Amino acid sequence: MDTCRIPANTSKCSGNTMECFMVLSTQAQKISIGILCGLFGTMCVFENSLVLYLIFSSPGTRKKPSYLFIGSLALADILASIIFVCSFVNFHVFNKAGFSKEVFLLQLGGVNTSFSASLSSLLLTALDRYISISRPSEYKLLMTRKRAWTALAVLWVTCATIAYLPLLGWNCCMLDSTCSELFPFVDDNYLSGWICFIMVLLGCIVYAYAHVLWRARQHVAYMEKHQAQVGKQNTRMRMDVMLAKTLVMVLAVLMLCWSPVLVLMIYSIFARLSDRLRKVFAFCSTLCLLNSMVNPIIYALRSKELFSSLRRVFSHFRRQWKASEESPEAESTHKSSVIET
């Protein structure tokens, strides 16, 4: 095990070991974390997998850049749920710390990559709506499928590169610097840089959505003023307004779920954290799963195309279920009629 200058600010931890970060002291706390991670993680994987199926099973949605970005968000949430639940429960609930520094940083990089990709996918979706509303006549020329796939490739490569910098050498063991109080082997300077990167993404998203909402309000006023003009342009504007409201709801949920975690990260850089705050951070981390679980529900309720696809899927399975229930009855009826004859 690598020895680093890990802060030991608790009465139960006096050495520079991984056990310093196992902050859940009671069985009730471990059971609570295990239940939350199991419930949220299972729902996240199921719901986001359903969103991916609805997007890529329909030719109408999988060809649109907007839904490609939403699909990227769903994929990032699935990966984050799987990696986060497995590593978090294994560490905090089962207290397994026998893995090496490289394995831990590999897991942490996977979680950071998924979250960064999720947030970056929201940014691309916001920019897509920004272009659609600010330059509607040039939208199809500017936002093509090829450019959308290129943007997604750049997004994932950039997020993975930034997330795996600690594994590549930017960690407190290699630099002989003080480790973070929240993450083993993570250098405080790297954590500060990662937080700045996330804050820049959030700022760009808020700016883009603010412009989208401003233009959406103008579209609503225009439609109310010209009720008699019902055509393709009004239909397009109604779709933009609906999608803009949906994405604002997603952003609101994102901020609500991730604000406590980011605040505690920032606080840990400037001050020492007590045992109680570190436990609060562990429980607040499960809000990330809650965010990933709520996003698909918002899509299903707010996206007309995805909701219609979802209804078709349910109708298909309902017809198959009825057919499977009726077939044994029909077969028994046929056999009884043969016997009577």
Side-chain angles (χ1 to χ4, degrees), residues 122-123 126-127 198-210 251:
L122 281 177
L123 176 58
L127 294 177
I198 297 301
M199 297 301 290
V200 169
L201 289 179
L202 288 174
C204 293
I205 293 174
V206 171
Y207 174 80
Y209 283 160
L251 180 61

Side-chain angles (χ1 to χ4, degrees), residues 38-299:
L39 177 62
F40 291 163
T42 302
M43 293 299 296
C44 285
V45 173
F46 171 75
E47 292 174 358
N48 285 287
S49 299
L50 181 61
V51 169
L52 285 177
Y53 173 77
L54 294 176
I55 291 175
F56 291 99
S57 63
S58 173
T61 55
R62 68 168 176 259
K63 293 181 180 180
K64 296 181 179 180
S66 300
Y67 288 103
L68 291 178
F69 299 148
I70 292 177
S72 174
L73 175 62
L75 177 62
D77 287 338
I78 291 175
L79 294 177
S81 301
I82 295 174
I83 301 173
F84 178 85
V85 169
C86 293
S87 59
F88 195 79
V89 171
N90 189 47
F91 185 80
H92 284 289
V93 177
F94 297 107
N95 298 137
K96 292 184 179 180
F99 42 81
S100 63
K101 175 193 70 176
E102 289 75 17
V103 173
F104 178 84
L105 292 178
L106 181 67
Q107 295 176 349
L108 183 62
V111 175
N112 289 343
T113 298
S114 303
F115 168 62
S116 302
S118 176
L119 197 58
S120 300
S121 298
L122 281 177
L123 176 58
L124 287 182
T125 310
L127 294 177
D128 175 74
R129 290 299 91 199
Y130 179 91
I131 297 174
S132 175
I133 289 182
S134 61
R135 305 174 70 175
S137 61
E138 304 175 21
Y139 173 76
K140 290 186 178 181
L141 295 176
L142 295 174
M143 189 59 67
T144 61
R145 288 188 65 195
K146 183 178 180 180
R147 290 182 177 180
W149 282 111
T150 302
L152 288 175
V154 173
L155 177 158
W156 281 89
V157 171
T158 302
C159 292
T161 301
I162 295 175
Y164 281 106
L165 284 177
L167 182 62
L168 297 175
W170 192 354
N171 58 73
C172 52
C173 295
M174 296 291 293
L175 301 177
D176 193 24
S177 56
T178 303
C179 295
S180 168
E181 295 186 20
L182 295 174
F183 305 101
F185 312 118
V186 174
D187 180 69
D188 267 341
N189 292 327
Y190 168 79
L191 183 60
S192 302
W194 187 82
I195 293 174
C196 291
F197 170 66
I198 297 301
M199 297 301 290
V200 169
L201 289 179
L202 288 174
C204 293
I205 293 174
V206 171
Y207 174 80
Y209 283 160
H211 184 83
V212 168
L213 284 182
W214 176 65
R215 294 302 296 265
R217 289 191 61 183
Q218 289 184 328
H219 285 175
V220 171
Y222 175 84
M223 286 186 291
E224 291 177 350
K225 186 177 180 180
H226 302 83
Q227 287 293 334
Q229 298 180 5
V230 180
K232 185 176 180 180
Q233 184 67 19
N234 277 351
T235 302
R236 176 62 180 274
M237 286 190 291
R238 289 180 187 275
M239 291 175 59
D240 288 339
V241 171
M242 178 65 72
L243 191 53
K245 292 180 179 179
T246 299
L247 297 177
V248 169
M249 291 176 62
V250 172
L251 180 61
V253 172
L254 180 74
M255 296 295 293
L256 180 64
C257 292
W258 281 93
S259 291
V261 174
L262 292 176
V263 169
L264 287 174
M265 285 183 183
I266 296 173
Y267 182 77
S268 69
I269 296 174
F270 299 100
R272 301 297 290 275
L273 295 178
S274 63
D275 290 349
R276 190 170 185 177
L277 283 178
R278 296 169 76 191
K279 291 178 181 179
V280 170
F281 178 80
F283 278 92
C284 287
S285 298
T286 60
L287 292 176
C288 311
L289 293 176
L290 179 62
N291 171 68
S292 300
M293 186 182 69
V294 171
N295 282 345
I297 299 176
I298 298 176
Y299 302 148

